[in-house]
Amino acid sequence: MPMIHHHISALRAAIQPYRAAQRIALVPTMGNLHDGHLELVNIAKQHADIVVVSIFVNPTQFGVGEDFDSYPRTLDEDVAKLATVGADYVFAPNIDEMYPVLPPPTTVRAGAITEQLCGKTRPTHFDGVGIVVSKLFNIVQPNVAIFGQKDYQQLAIIKQLVRDLSYSIEIIGAPIVRAADGLALSSRNQYLSESERQTAPILQQELQYLAKRIGGNHQPLDVLLAASRQRITSAGFVIDYLDIKTAQLDSLKTDGSSVNFNENQQDLVILVAAWLGRARLLDNQLVTANTV
Amino acid sequence: MPMIHHHISALRAAIQPYRAAQRIALVPTMGNLHDGHLELVNIAKQHADIVVVSIFVNPTQFGVGEDFDSYPRTLDEDVAKLATVGADYVFAPNIDEMYPVLPPPTTVRAGAITEQLCGKTRPTHFDGVGIVVSKLFNIVQPNVAIFGQKDYQQLAIIKQLVRDLSYSIEIIGAPIVRAADGLALSSRNQYLSESERQTAPILQQELQYLAKRIGGNHQPLDVLLAASRQRITSAGFVIDYLDIKTAQLDSLKTDGSSVNFNENQQDLVILVAAWLGRARLLDNQLVTANTV
C-alpha cells in the first residue's frame, strides 16, 4: 500500500532522502480515481523511481455554482486502487493545509492561453489550476509530472507555466483512456443517467469524423464544424465549445476553407466541451500533419 | 573565488550534489554590490552551507522610462567582492536565459499588498519581482533566501508569496546597512550629485524623528506626517510616499490621532520613498511595540 500523508512537512520529510539519487514523479489528481488516473501512474513509473499521487479536490478551480460540494470523494477506494499500480506515496491534504488563507491573495495566471475555450465559461478555473499546480510543484519538487491529455488546455497551460517560471520539471501528457464505446474516462461521467451514458460516445464519434475530414480538400472548416455542432446538439448536448486549433492552441489562420496540411505542416487539435444532463464532458482529438 | 554560472542547467547541476545533506542559501541581487549586499551574504552563511548569489538586472521589474538601461552593471567587481565574503556560486544569466519569451505571458501577482506604496507609482514593478523571484526559487530550490529590509514592501510580498505558493523556503529579512551619516546603502545612491548626497540623510533623520513621536501622547499622526513631508520637500526631495503602516503593511485604524502602543500592542513601520535628483531613494524604520 502507498504511504499516505496529509501534511506538507511530513510528505517532504518522507521523500527528501530520495532526492540525491532517484527521480521523483508527481501525479496530481482530484481523487475518485478511474483507469485513466491509474494509467498516469503507470506512465509515471516508467519515468521515475518514486511516484507521489496527490489527491485534493481543489476549491479554487471550481467556480460559483459548480460541483465542488458534490464532487465525489473516495479516498479509501483510491488508495486501494493506487496500491494495485504501485504508487509509493499519496498526498491527501485538507483545505486548511493547502490554503491557510482562502482565497489566497497571490495569483498565478498563465495569460492569454487561459482566456479561450474552457476559460470563457469558467473564467476563474485556470487561476485555480495555476496556483494549486504551483503549490504541488513546490511541495513535491518532482523531476517529472504527468497530466492527462483529456484536459488538453490545462496541459498546454502547465507546459507554459513550467517554461515561464523556470521549473525544472519534465511535463508528460498521457493519452486519453477511453471506455470500450469510446467515451473518455472522467470522474464526472458518473453524473450521467443510463440513457445519457448511451448518448455520450457521440462526442468522440464526431471528433473522429472531423479528424478525417479537416485535411485535404473536403468541405470548409466552418461548414464541417457547424454540421457537427448541429448533430451534437440534436443528440441532447448543450455545447460549450467545439473548435479546431493548432496543437499549441493558437487560432487557425484560415478564411474558413479546409486546411491543406501538405502546405502548412502543422499539427491540429479538435476540442469539445459539452453538457449532457448534469455532466460537463470534455474531449479532444489530435490530428498530426503527417496523418492526413 | 565563487564559481560563476550563466546557464540554469549548469548552475543546477553544480549545486545538485549538495541537496541531500547540506543547506543552500539564495541571495538574489541586481549586482553593483555594496556593503549591504555583502551583509546579506554574511547572514546567508550563518544559515546555510552553500551560498548562491544571483546577479540579474531583471527587465520585468522596471517600468517604462525607468533606469533599466542605465542601471550599473559591474559583474567583475561584484564577483571580486563576493570572494571576500565567501560566496560559493554566482548565477549571472543573460536575459534570454531567464526569459525565452519576454514579457512572459504568465504572471505571479501577490494581490492587494502590491497595490499600495511603491505599487502605486510603479504599477508593474511587483509583478516583475513576483515572476523573477519565483523563477530564482525554482532554479536554485534553496532552503533559505535572504532579502534586505530596505525593500520592506518587497520583503513582505515575498513572505506572502512563499506562504501562498507553499515554497519550503525560509525567508530572512536582513537589517538595513547604512553609511556613517545614516543614508541607507543603495546602488542608486551613485545617481546623487555631491550636494544631493549631503542632503540625502535627511530621510533617515525624519524617520527617526517620527519613530520617537508616534507612540504615546504626542501630536496626531497626520499632523506629524504633514510636518515631516514639508521638511523633506523643503530639503529638495520630491516625495513619492511617507506613510505609517502595521508591520504587515495593513493600514492603521486611527482617526488621525496618535497611536497608543500600550493599548494596540502592534509593531509599526514608517516607510518613505522620495526622489532626489535622478535617484529614487527608499528607507523605512520599524517601531516595535515595546520600544515606545
Side-chain angles (χ1 to χ4, degrees):
Chain A
M1 294 288 278
M3 286 283 296
I4 306 177
H5 288 290
H6 300 283
H7 294 284
I8 293 169
S9 57
L11 177 76
R12 285 185 58 89
I15 62 179
Q16 174 63 23
Y18 302 113
R19 294 198 190 284
Q22 294 184 75
R23 280 171 64 85
I24 297 170
L26 170 66
V27 179
T29 82
M30 297 209 299
N32 194 243
L33 304 181
H34 50 63
D35 285 351
H37 295 110
L38 301 185
E39 182 61 13
L40 301 180
V41 177
N42 288 331
I43 292 171
K45 289 181 72 75
Q46 296 164 18
H47 292 269
D49 307 292
I50 301 295
V51 177
V52 179
V53 178
S54 63
I55 295 181
F56 180 61
V57 183
N58 172 37
T60 63
Q61 72 190 70
F62 289 79
V64 174
E66 292 187 351
D67 57 341
F68 174 70
D69 289 334
S70 59
Y71 198 90
R73 283 134 169 117
T74 52
L75 183 61
D76 291 347
E77 295 89 327
D78 292 345
V79 172
K81 287 179 185 174
L82 289 172
T84 68
V85 287
D88 300 288
Y89 292 93
V90 171
F91 177 51
N94 67 21
I95 290 179
D96 290 344
E97 180 76 358
M98 287 295 274
Y99 295 108
V101 177
L102 183 67
T106 302
T107 56
V108 178
R109 187 166 294 167
I113 193 174
T114 67
E115 290 161 15
Q116 58 180 319
L117 302 170
C118 289
K120 279 193 179 169
T121 44
R122 306 185 74 192
T124 62
H125 173 64
F126 288 120
D127 281 2
V129 170
I131 198 153
V132 81
V133 168
S134 298
K135 290 169 79 83
L136 291 169
F137 283 176
N138 297 337
I139 291 166
V140 178
Q141 296 186 313
N143 303 95
V144 55
I146 325 292
F147 294 84
Q149 287 177 354
K150 184 171 76 68
D151 299 297
Y152 190 93
Q153 186 179 11
Q154 172 179 278
L155 177 60
I157 285 168
I158 287 163
K159 286 179 177 173
Q160 184 196 295
L161 189 83
V162 164
R163 179 199 69 189
D164 287 350
L165 299 188
S166 299
Y167 279 109
S168 297
I169 301 173
E170 181 185 2
I171 301 298
I172 294 177
I176 299 173
V177 177
R178 298 182 180 282
D181 61 8
L183 178 65
L185 297 192
S186 166
S187 300
R188 288 183 170 112
N189 290 351
Q190 63 197 266
Y191 298 161
L192 297 169
S193 71
E194 200 170 325
S195 75
E196 287 164 349
R197 178 63 189 80
Q198 300 297 315
T199 303
I202 287 176
L203 276 191
Q204 156 67 358
Q205 290 158 17
E206 281 296 330
L207 293 181
Q208 291 198 344
Y209 175 90
L210 287 169
K212 288 183 189 133
R213 280 163 185 77
I214 60 175
N217 291 302
H218 297 280
Q219 288 172 284
L221 282 184
D222 50 3
V223 174
L224 276 171
L225 286 171
S228 269
R229 289 192 191 102
Q230 177 60 46
R231 285 189 296 271
I232 292 168
T233 303
S234 298
F237 292 86
V238 176
I239 294 177
D240 188 348
Y241 58 79
L242 171 67
D243 209 348
I244 301 177
K245 301 270 185 177
T246 72
Q248 294 73 40
L249 293 184
D250 295 319
S251 294
L252 295 189
K253 291 184 184 114
T254 77
D255 53 1
S257 64
S258 64
V259 177
N260 187 331
F261 282 93
N262 294 327
E263 201 175 297
N264 293 334
Q265 288 295 323
Q266 58 185 346
D267 295 344
L268 301 181
V269 59
I270 317 168
L271 308 107
V272 66
W275 288 90
L276 188 59
R278 282 205 305 132
R280 184 172 177 276
L281 303 180
L282 286 184
D283 206 343
N284 66 81
Q285 179 73 50
L286 265 171
V287 187
T288 54
N290 58 5
T291 62
V292 286
Chain B
M1 294 288 279
M3 288 283 296
I4 305 176
H5 288 289
H6 300 283
H7 295 284
I8 293 169
S9 56
L11 176 76
R12 284 185 60 89
I15 62 180
Q16 175 63 23
Y18 303 112
R19 293 198 190 285
Q22 294 184 75
R23 280 171 65 84
I24 297 170
L26 170 66
V27 179
T29 82
M30 298 209 299
N32 195 243
L33 304 181
H34 51 63
D35 286 351
H37 296 108
L38 301 185
E39 182 61 13
L40 301 180
V41 177
N42 289 331
I43 292 171
K45 288 180 73 73
Q46 297 165 16
H47 293 269
D49 307 293
I50 301 294
V51 176
V52 179
V53 178
S54 63
I55 295 180
F56 180 60
V57 184
N58 173 37
T60 63
Q61 72 191 70
F62 289 80
V64 174
E66 291 186 350
D67 57 341
F68 175 70
D69 289 334
S70 59
Y71 198 90
R73 281 127 169 122
T74 53
L75 183 60
D76 292 345
E77 295 89 329
D78 292 343
V79 172
K81 286 178 185 174
L82 289 172
T84 69
V85 288
D88 300 288
Y89 291 93
V90 172
F91 178 50
N94 67 23
I95 290 178
D96 290 345
E97 180 76 0
M98 286 295 274
Y99 295 108
V101 177
L102 182 67
T106 302
T107 55
V108 178
R109 186 167 295 168
I113 194 175
T114 67
E115 290 160 15
Q116 57 180 321
L117 301 171
C118 289
K120 278 192 178 166
T121 44
R122 307 185 73 191
T124 62
H125 173 65
F126 288 120
D127 281 2
V129 170
I131 199 153
V132 81
V133 168
S134 298
K135 289 168 80 81
L136 291 169
F137 284 175
N138 297 337
I139 292 166
V140 178
Q141 295 185 313
N143 303 95
V144 55
I146 325 291
F147 294 84
Q149 287 177 354
K150 184 170 77 68
D151 299 296
Y152 191 94
Q153 187 179 11
Q154 172 179 279
L155 177 60
I157 285 168
I158 287 163
K159 286 178 178 172
Q160 184 194 296
L161 189 83
V162 164
R163 179 198 68 187
D164 287 351
L165 299 188
S166 300
Y167 279 109
S168 297
I169 302 173
E170 180 186 2
I171 301 299
I172 294 177
I176 299 173
V177 177
R178 300 182 179 282
D181 60 8
L183 178 65
L185 296 193
S186 166
S187 299
R188 289 183 170 114
N189 289 351
Q190 63 197 265
Y191 297 162
L192 297 169
S193 70
E194 200 170 326
S195 75
E196 287 164 351
R197 178 63 189 79
Q198 300 297 315
T199 302
I202 286 176
L203 278 190
Q204 156 66 359
Q205 291 158 15
E206 282 295 332
L207 293 181
Q208 290 197 343
Y209 176 90
L210 286 169
K212 287 183 190 134
R213 279 164 186 75
I214 61 175
N217 291 304
H218 297 280
Q219 289 171 283
L221 281 183
D222 51 3
V223 174
L224 276 170
L225 286 172
S228 269
R229 289 193 191 100
Q230 178 60 46
R231 284 189 296 271
I232 292 168
T233 303
S234 297
F237 292 86
V238 177
I239 294 178
D240 189 349
Y241 58 80
L242 171 68
D243 210 348
I244 300 177
K245 300 271 186 178
T246 73
Q248 293 74 40
L249 293 183
D250 295 319
S251 294
L252 296 189
K253 290 182 185 122
T254 77
D255 53 1
S257 64
S258 63
V259 177
N260 187 333
F261 283 93
N262 294 326
E263 198 176 299
N264 293 333
Q265 287 294 324
Q266 57 186 348
D267 295 343
L268 301 181
V269 59
I270 316 169
L271 308 107
V272 66
W275 288 90
L276 188 59
R278 283 205 304 131
R280 183 173 178 276
L281 303 180
L282 285 184
D283 207 343
N284 66 80
Q285 179 73 51
L286 264 171
V287 187
T288 52
N290 57 5
T291 63
V292 287

